[in-house]
Amino acid sequence: MPNLLLGPLLRHVDTTSATVWVETDRPCTVEVAGRSAQTFQVAGHHYALVVVTGLEPATCTPYEVRLDGEKEWPLPDSDMPPSQIRTFPDGGDPRFLMMFGSCRMPESDDPAERRRIGPDALAAYASRMHAEDERDWPDSLFLVGDQVYADETTKATQEWMSRRRSLDQPPGTEVTDFEEYTRLYHESWSSPLVRWLMSTVPTSMIFDDHDVRDDWNTSQTWRDEKEKTSWWRTRERGALASYWIYQHIGNLSPADLEAEEIYGKVIELGRDGDAANILHEFADRARQETNGRKGTRWSYRRDFGNVRLLVIDTRSGRILSGGARSMVSDGEFDWIEEHADGDYDHLLIGSSLPWLMPHAISHIQSMNEVACRRPGWRGWLAETLRQTADLEHWPSFRASSDRLARLILRIAKGDVATVCVLSGDVHHVYAARATFPERVRAAVFQLTCSPVHNQVPALMRPLFTIAWWRPVAAIWRWLAHRSPHIDPMPVEWTKVSGPYYGNAIATLRTTGRSAEVVVERAEATADGPPRLTPVTTVPLTDD
């Protein structure tokens, strides 16, 4: 009899349909809410994405998962509420809640790891949902990068890896291939509270560097160094193939799935064929850069009534070779600009990396980008600083950052209420409001929430606090503007809340054209799951 290994994960939901993702231990037929799908196989692992159609708008449908007719979800000993699909109403709901955050290490049984990382904000949110009225549950969850940590494995994963290979050989305790990536996802998504939450809250995702490796695609020099190793190609191939399975296909609508060429090829093999070669070849193409383009587009769009989420891949889509340097290709940016247009009140731009950062760090990154182009030892020193200090966010891709600023300015001049960039990565929480030389009608914010479940190194706290100080920012702005190669920023911004530290989750709340963001921190309890305590509430609109 087949068993459910991971999931169910509720992924794309609209007014009449939903997709539910699962992993099983053998080939089978997966049934959810009266719809079924055959599993597909990759390197001996079995998955299914069940497309549930024919739902009524604005309804709640509790569901079970059956494998070959036998109920496998909910688990027999679960005391959580039933998993359910809540569709959106036609024309949108005046009320919308999206929780978001990044950087989530798995929960650990090791006491030292638990003390170091602290309580899980996602588990704390799930625990609170258990006691809440369903009408107060979030409508969406956006995981803004670093769902797994391929370069910072737990003691349990290291012990597991040691039974299949020597950890004395490179890359040591980092993962090497697809099989080890499957272990990371199981470790991250198997904890009971988080597993239940992701079964009932529609979830969108995008990767960041630790999903592959710290500072992934920082520069062409970084890539050249990794390509010289014996393990990098297999590592990146496994990362992209597993990302496609565990994260990417669930981001897509049923219509987008039908148009997804690789998905069609994988499904065509049937449940007994193995799609490993198809995905390995796809991953190799996806990582390659040809004529200023990448082999695939991971960016995507989702609509929630009067709220649009436009997610930008700021890691794999980078163009770095031949002297070029852009966050995504021109063709992908054209796609982003096209899908930023539409009829909505709130535009959420999902970017794992912040667009607006502490002013001092922003100016340093712009200066470093110019310095890295210098020949000889000066360029080498600047590149060394870039990799050591993680100077690879939007400000270090100034042409792309400025293009994003122009896009946001164009949208903000129209009839929208807010434009918010949702980000993570930097291990602190803050909100900053942007202003432009031209008058805009919308409120524009950078909203950053990180980490959900990870440590914040002690040195980072004073550094980020100092980086927000206005006198420090003024010094670095003056130094940056001395360079003839650095144009003044086309946008100004003011920090309106933060920085805050600790494991946290943010909830963006909209009611019609009004919006606010609420940040809560996870705190441990003596004898139960962690709880959330309020940190700050930031109104995003005047009313």
Side-chain angles (χ1 to χ4, degrees):
M1 186 178 76
N3 295 305
L4 187 66
L5 295 182
L6 198 59
L9 271 69
L10 181 60
R11 299 302 310 272
H12 189 281
V13 175
D14 53 30
T15 57
T16 60
S17 70
T19 61
V20 178
W21 180 99
V22 300
E23 181 177 356
T24 66
D25 68 344
R26 65 191 68 184
C28 62
T29 300
V30 182
E31 183 180 347
V32 175
R35 298 294 187 270
S36 63
Q38 298 295 312
T39 56
F40 62 88
Q41 183 177 178
V42 180
H45 296 263
H46 306 276
Y47 310 92
L49 188 64
V50 182
V51 179
V52 181
T53 57
L55 300 171
E56 293 294 325
T59 58
C60 178
T61 304
Y63 72 89
E64 300 173 342
V65 176
R66 295 182 176 272
L67 306 182
D68 285 347
E70 297 295 324
K71 186 173 74 171
E72 291 292 315
W73 183 269
L75 300 177
D77 57 350
S78 174
D79 63 348
M80 300 300 288
S83 300
Q84 54 186 255
I85 300 169
R86 292 174 297 148
T87 54
F88 292 94
D90 279 329
D93 192 330
R95 168 195 170 278
F96 176 73
L97 272 68
M98 172 182 281
M99 49 193 293
F100 70 93
S102 82
C103 308
R104 182 177 174 271
M105 292 283 285
E107 296 182 31
S108 173
D109 292 331
D110 182 77
E113 288 181 335
R114 287 204 305 270
R115 286 193 300 270
R116 178 172 58 86
I117 298 174
D120 184 353
L122 208 56
Y125 205 114
S127 176
R128 186 173 68 188
M129 286 174 62
H130 189 185
E132 281 183 330
D133 189 296
E134 295 176 8
R135 291 172 294 184
D136 296 324
W137 288 0
D139 302 293
S140 179
L141 166 64
F142 178 36
L143 298 175
V144 202
D146 293 341
Q147 274 66 262
V148 294
Y149 279 74
D151 51 347
E152 298 179 21
T153 54
T154 63
K155 293 178 181 178
T157 290
Q158 292 170 24
E159 181 181 351
W160 176 86
M161 290 191 299
S162 69
R163 295 195 292 269
R164 67 186 302 263
R165 64 176 175 87
S166 171
L167 301 187
D168 294 329
Q169 300 297 320
T173 58
E174 301 182 24
V175 302
T176 58
D177 57 15
F178 176 84
E179 184 67 26
E180 294 181 3
Y181 265 101
T182 66
R183 161 75 187 190
L184 295 185
Y185 282 104
H186 279 247
E187 188 178 45
S188 182
W189 292 352
S190 292
S191 60
L193 284 169
V194 172
R195 188 177 183 183
W196 172 81
L197 183 147
M198 296 175 73
S199 76
T200 204
V201 178
T203 304
S204 308
M205 308 177 187
I206 194 67
F207 44 25
D208 199 20
D209 54 344
H210 289 284
D211 291 86
V212 182
R213 196 176 197 272
D214 188 28
D215 300 338
W216 179 37
N217 288 343
T218 288
S219 64
Q220 186 60 44
T221 300
W222 187 96
R223 286 203 62 87
D224 291 343
E225 292 171 353
K226 295 298 174 288
E227 293 286 357
K228 294 175 184 177
T229 67
S230 60
W231 51 269
W232 174 249
R233 181 172 181 177
T234 304
R235 161 77 156 276
E236 193 173 35
R237 174 190 288 168
L240 295 178
S242 62
Y243 177 82
W244 185 90
I245 297 168
Y246 287 85
Q247 299 194 48
H248 177 66
I249 57 175
N251 291 327
L252 305 180
S253 69
D256 289 335
L257 276 175
E258 287 188 10
E260 168 72 32
E261 178 185 3
I262 301 302
Y263 186 73
K265 291 181 178 180
V266 169
I267 297 301
E268 188 177 345
L269 285 177
R271 71 186 201 177
D272 295 319
D274 197 306
N277 288 337
I278 292 176
L279 285 182
H280 288 165
E281 291 172 3
F282 164 74
D284 287 341
R285 293 196 305 273
R287 65 197 285 272
Q288 291 174 357
E289 182 181 326
T290 305
N291 298 324
R293 289 180 176 270
K294 280 296 183 69
T296 194
R297 171 176 54 79
W298 303 107
S299 302
Y300 62 94
R301 167 191 143 192
R302 294 186 70 167
D303 288 328
F304 308 93
N306 70 334
V307 177
R308 172 164 297 177
L309 174 65
L310 185 58
V311 181
I312 302 176
D313 161 28
T314 58
R315 281 294 176 181
S316 183
R318 296 180 177 189
I319 302 301
L320 303 169
S321 66
R325 185 169 172 82
S326 58
M327 193 65 86
V328 295
S329 68
D330 287 340
E332 186 161 345
F333 226 127
D334 291 343
W335 181 93
I336 292 165
E337 291 172 333
E338 175 188 350
H339 285 264
D341 293 321
D343 183 15
Y344 53 79
D345 291 321
H346 305 277
L347 175 61
L348 311 178
I349 298 177
S351 165
S352 65
L353 303 176
W355 168 54
L356 303 178
M357 303 187 69
H359 296 82
I361 294 176
S362 181
H363 295 307
I364 290 171
Q365 293 204 19
S366 295
M367 294 168 64
N368 177 260
E369 182 185 25
V370 172
C372 286
R373 301 177 189 144
R374 288 185 165 188
W377 68 269
R378 293 181 178 85
W380 173 85
L381 184 61
E383 177 64 35
T384 301
L385 177 62
R386 171 154 64 190
Q387 295 189 29
T388 302
D390 295 348
L391 305 180
E392 37 91 40
H393 298 80
W394 279 97
S396 73
F397 291 79
R398 268 300 299 274
S400 297
S401 178
D402 290 356
R403 185 171 179 180
L404 181 60
R406 292 193 295 271
L407 168 62
I408 291 174
L409 172 61
R410 177 172 66 82
I411 298 300
K413 290 166 68 175
D415 187 26
V416 298
T418 65
V419 180
C420 298
V421 180
L422 311 183
S423 304
D425 181 71
V426 292
H427 285 222
H428 70 293
V429 177
Y430 65 91
R433 181 159 190 170
T435 56
F436 297 88
E438 302 178 51
R439 182 179 179 273
V440 298
R441 302 175 67 181
V444 178
F445 283 88
Q446 169 70 61
L447 305 176
T448 303
C449 183
S450 165
V452 170
H453 188 222
N454 205 334
Q455 63 175 329
V456 181
L459 181 61
M460 293 180 67
R461 299 189 181 204
L463 286 179
F464 279 123
T465 301
I466 292 171
W468 279 111
W469 288 357
R470 291 184 180 181
V472 175
I475 294 171
W476 285 105
R477 181 185 295 109
W478 176 77
L479 290 172
H481 289 176
R482 292 186 62 195
S483 171
H485 306 291
I486 302 176
D487 294 328
M489 296 285 286
V491 58
E492 293 290 338
W493 63 100
T494 302
K495 177 177 65 66
V496 295
S497 188
Y500 303 105
Y501 303 98
N503 295 334
I505 195 77
T507 304
L508 182 80
R509 304 181 179 188
T510 69
T511 304
R513 290 177 62 87
S514 300
E516 67 177 13
V517 66
V518 177
V519 177
E520 297 169 288
R521 182 184 292 117
E523 293 186 355
T525 60
D527 55 356
R531 65 170 180 265
L532 294 174
T533 59
V535 173
T536 185
T537 297
V538 181
L540 305 179
T541 49
D542 292 338
D543 55 348

